[in-house]
Amino acid sequence: MASGDIAQITEALAKTHVGEVELSYKGQGLKLDNAESVKEMVQEIEQYQGLRSLRLEGNTLGVEAARAIAKSLEAKRELEQCHWSDMFTGRLRSEIPPALISLGNALMTSGARLTHLDLSDNAFGPDGVKGIESLLKSSACYTLRELRLNNCGMGIGGGMVLASALTECHKQSSAAGSPLRLKVFIAGRNRLENDGATALAKAFKLLGSLEEVHMPQNGINHPGITALASAIKHNPNLQVLNLNDNTFTKRGSTAMAEAIRHLQCLKVINFGDCLVRSEGAIAIAAALREGLPFLRELNLSFGEICEAAAVVVAKAVQSKADLEKLDLNGNCFGEDGCEALRDVMESMNMEDLLGSLSDDEGEPEEEDDDDGEEDEDEEEREDEEDAEENGVNGTKYVIEDKVILANICMPEWTPKPDVLLLTTGYVIAIQISCSSSFPDALLRKAFSNSHSQSYNFISSLMVNLGLLKCEDKKIKRVTVLPGHLFALEHAAAQQFFPADQADVLETFVSRLVCVQNIMYI
């Protein structure tokens, strides 16, 4: 065979990309305005046999260029991965939807079955989501496993359109006998807010297949967080949950804590900069103690968490053999608190797993006004009914001698255990004794209900004793009398008192200091 013939065969093989599956133009900074500017690219795509992955990120496509590329994709039935992030830099927002529609139509025409679609960093807004709506509903996405839409500025409207498209895709794919099983969903920095998150939550609940959810920096408050919590517990294979830089507060934190109890495959939890606060941290710690055996990373940084609550969290991860990092930076420990936390981690031989505490905010001031937190005002209004029904003070929970005497001698009185313990404290303090069976009989009865086994019991008790700061400013801590401590000491030593709750209580009580005859953390 002549050397010229060998050269021709080598060139032909090079053009067919034998043994390769990806064609990449990643990061070339190409400005592709029209059909002429993508002529060589189109030829290469057309000649590429068995193309499974096309990388166009880091270039900028105009409408005409997108149409030309789309034409070349109409015959690429084997295409599975479209890495098309950062693809419209410098383009008018009005240019992006028609470009996306052209590319999407080509994929549908080709009969491709996508597994990966990445359109991150394109800032296309709600209209851009509409540009991929038909694609997401089509059979081309029945096999989608990863959807990446980070930093696209979708907004609430875009989130709703996206949720509707995913729901429709699941419906149609199920009817076709192969339900959509999306595993990775990434949509950070999209201004989804509560309504967008709530719409997506409904889609997540329907899917039930998610393994990674990343939705940081979306302006989501507790209604949206609660909706997401309700949805993710229906995704039992979830391994990574990143909701960094949203706003949980108490309601969101407790809802999320309840949700992660159901997620035994979780490996990474990122609730950093989410205003989890101490009550939320304790709720999350309770979930950690009960399960999550494969946890590798826990991020509760910048959450206004006090040192005692952080210690509770640290103790909760003691049994996590796979743990690689515990991030509690940027909270409210103070110098002594940081040292105490390090000591606890060292005592468990886990000091190397504790992240930096260099950005600690210091111990919180007692009177700390939370300016600008309108969501908390709404949350407090929603809490008023619960406070009236279950609380000890602020409304119906004002304990007076007459109320104590009237209730404590009535055998049918069955208060919640936190109410009873506080009442018992007052009884001991004023030396009242109505029967030899009190308080153990009532305590045993009170602790037999599910409330006593939950986070709500220990949290409510500590809030009312002033051991834990409450988000509801209307609730005033009771004056802690020696009787309260006697009652707590007695109850915590009984078999009916939950052991894990006793440990939490001990952690907080051991850090009390006396200020003007009232105990605080």
Side-chain angles (χ1 to χ4, degrees):
M1 182 180 294
S3 58
D5 294 334
I6 294 175
Q8 289 178 354
I9 293 173
T10 301
E11 183 178 357
L13 287 173
K15 289 183 178 181
T16 58
H17 300 273
V18 173
E20 297 179 14
V21 296
E22 180 175 273
L23 179 58
S24 177
Y25 299 94
K26 181 179 179 179
Q28 294 185 17
L30 303 174
K31 192 173 188 298
L32 308 171
D33 297 321
N34 48 45
E36 183 63 28
S37 64
V38 295
K39 183 176 180 179
E40 292 184 10
M41 182 184 293
V42 166
Q43 290 177 345
E44 190 166 10
I45 292 172
E46 290 175 342
Q47 294 173 358
Y48 206 111
Q49 296 183 13
L51 179 63
R52 296 184 184 276
S53 175
L54 179 60
R55 309 195 74 104
L56 297 176
E57 65 263 55
N59 300 290
T60 176
L61 271 67
V63 176
E64 294 302 320
R67 286 175 181 164
I69 293 172
K71 189 68 176 177
S72 69
L73 293 175
E74 290 181 355
K76 299 302 174 182
R77 184 180 181 85
E78 295 175 304
L79 187 63
E80 296 176 348
Q81 300 185 22
C82 297
H83 300 278
W84 295 349
S85 63
D86 190 20
M87 200 169 63
F88 298 107
T89 301
R91 299 293 172 181
L92 297 174
R93 180 168 290 189
S94 60
E95 294 182 82
I96 301 176
L100 290 173
I101 290 171
S102 295
L103 293 167
N105 287 341
L107 295 172
M108 290 185 282
T109 299
S110 71
R113 294 293 184 267
L114 299 182
T115 59
H116 294 65
L117 178 60
D118 186 357
L119 289 166
S120 300
D121 301 316
N122 279 313
F124 46 52
D127 291 340
V129 183
K130 294 177 182 178
I132 59 172
E133 182 179 10
S134 295
L135 172 63
L136 290 174
K137 292 179 178 179
S138 74
S139 59
C141 288
Y142 288 0
T143 52
L144 198 62
R145 296 294 179 263
E146 295 190 12
L147 179 59
R148 299 171 182 263
L149 296 168
N150 201 57
N151 191 31
C152 288
M154 289 190 288
I156 295 172
M160 289 180 168
V161 171
L162 176 60
S164 176
L166 291 174
T167 300
E168 183 65 20
C169 183
H170 184 271
K171 178 182 177 181
Q172 296 296 336
S173 60
S174 297
S178 182
L180 172 64
R181 296 192 57 79
L182 189 67
K183 293 183 177 182
V184 177
F185 179 84
I186 300 177
R189 300 183 66 185
N190 271 293
R191 304 194 306 275
L192 294 171
E193 301 182 14
N194 291 329
D195 290 343
T198 299
L200 285 166
K202 294 177 181 178
F204 293 168
K205 183 176 181 179
L206 183 65
L207 290 171
S209 57
L210 291 168
E211 295 180 6
E212 294 188 27
V213 173
H214 302 260
M215 297 174 66
Q217 286 186 288
N218 269 297
I220 308 172
N221 298 327
H222 75 83
I225 295 298
T226 300
L228 289 171
S230 178
I232 63 171
K233 63 185 179 183
H234 294 279
N235 290 262
N237 294 320
L238 192 68
Q239 298 180 27
V240 179
L241 180 57
N242 177 8
L243 295 173
N244 187 283
D245 200 8
N246 290 292
T247 306
F248 283 29
T249 61
K250 176 184 175 181
R251 281 182 177 267
S253 298
T254 53
M256 196 58 69
E258 174 59 29
I260 64 177
R261 294 175 191 270
H262 302 269
L263 304 173
Q264 295 303 303
C265 295
L266 262 183
K267 296 179 179 179
V268 177
I269 298 175
N270 187 345
F271 296 160
D273 204 11
C274 284
L275 211 60
V276 167
R277 292 187 169 147
S278 299
E279 284 189 88
I282 293 171
I284 291 168
L288 295 176
R289 283 194 300 270
E290 295 179 9
L292 283 68
F294 307 111
L295 187 68
R296 290 203 311 251
E297 295 183 20
L298 175 62
N299 184 347
L300 295 178
S301 61
F302 299 93
E304 294 190 3
I305 300 170
C306 73
E307 175 244 332
V311 169
V312 173
V313 171
K315 290 181 178 180
V317 300
Q318 183 176 7
S319 62
K320 311 306 175 190
D322 296 333
L323 190 70
E324 297 175 359
K325 185 176 182 180
L326 174 62
D327 190 348
L328 292 168
N329 196 21
N331 284 297
C332 306
F333 306 154
E335 186 175 344
D336 291 342
C338 288
E339 190 60 35
L341 180 59
R342 293 190 187 98
D343 289 343
V344 170
M345 294 295 287
E346 184 176 359
S347 71
M348 300 186 297
N349 296 317
M350 302 175 75
E351 64 271 20
D352 293 338
L353 306 184
L354 181 64
S356 170
L357 299 176
S358 60
D359 295 318
D360 184 72
E361 296 288 338
E363 295 183 49
E365 295 181 6
E366 185 59 34
E367 297 297 331
D368 185 17
D369 294 331
D370 297 319
D371 297 331
E373 295 180 8
E374 295 180 3
D375 59 291
E376 290 182 42
D377 293 336
E378 178 187 349
E379 185 170 337
E380 288 173 12
R381 288 193 295 271
E382 293 172 354
D383 280 337
E384 285 181 1
E385 292 183 4
D386 294 337
E388 292 181 1
E389 179 182 353
N390 303 320
V392 170
N393 45 43
T395 53
K396 292 183 180 179
Y397 209 36
V398 176
I399 301 177
E400 300 177 353
D401 295 354
K402 293 180 180 179
V403 175
I404 296 170
L405 288 169
N407 288 330
I408 206 167
C409 298
M410 296 174 62
E412 67 272 17
W413 188 46
T414 56
K416 292 183 177 179
D418 48 335
V419 178
L420 183 56
L421 279 171
L422 290 171
T423 305
T424 304
Y426 272 93
V427 170
I428 293 174
I430 61 179
Q431 299 181 339
I432 293 176
S433 178
C434 291
S435 73
S436 59
S437 63
F438 181 81
D440 283 357
L442 279 175
L443 283 170
R444 188 176 293 106
K445 185 176 182 180
F447 276 94
S448 66
N449 64 38
S450 58
H451 174 74
S452 66
Q453 308 298 321
S454 70
Y455 144 81
N456 291 323
F457 155 61
I458 197 67
S459 176
S460 175
L461 178 63
M462 292 192 299
V463 164
N464 285 287
L465 286 174
L467 303 179
L468 189 62
K469 183 178 179 181
C470 182
E471 292 180 10
D472 187 351
K473 301 180 181 67
K474 294 181 177 64
I475 291 182
K476 298 180 177 65
R477 59 174 63 90
V478 302
T479 300
V480 179
L481 302 174
H484 290 114
L485 301 183
F486 288 137
L488 289 174
E489 182 182 23
H490 174 83
Q494 307 307 309
Q495 290 185 347
F496 53 70
F497 198 102
D500 57 337
Q501 307 282 25
D503 184 62
V504 173
L505 186 61
E506 190 277 333
T507 299
F508 274 78
V509 172
S510 66
R511 284 160 174 78
L512 283 174
V513 293
C514 185
V515 179
Q516 297 178 351
N517 298 321
I518 298 178
M519 300 291 193
Y520 300 100
I521 289 296

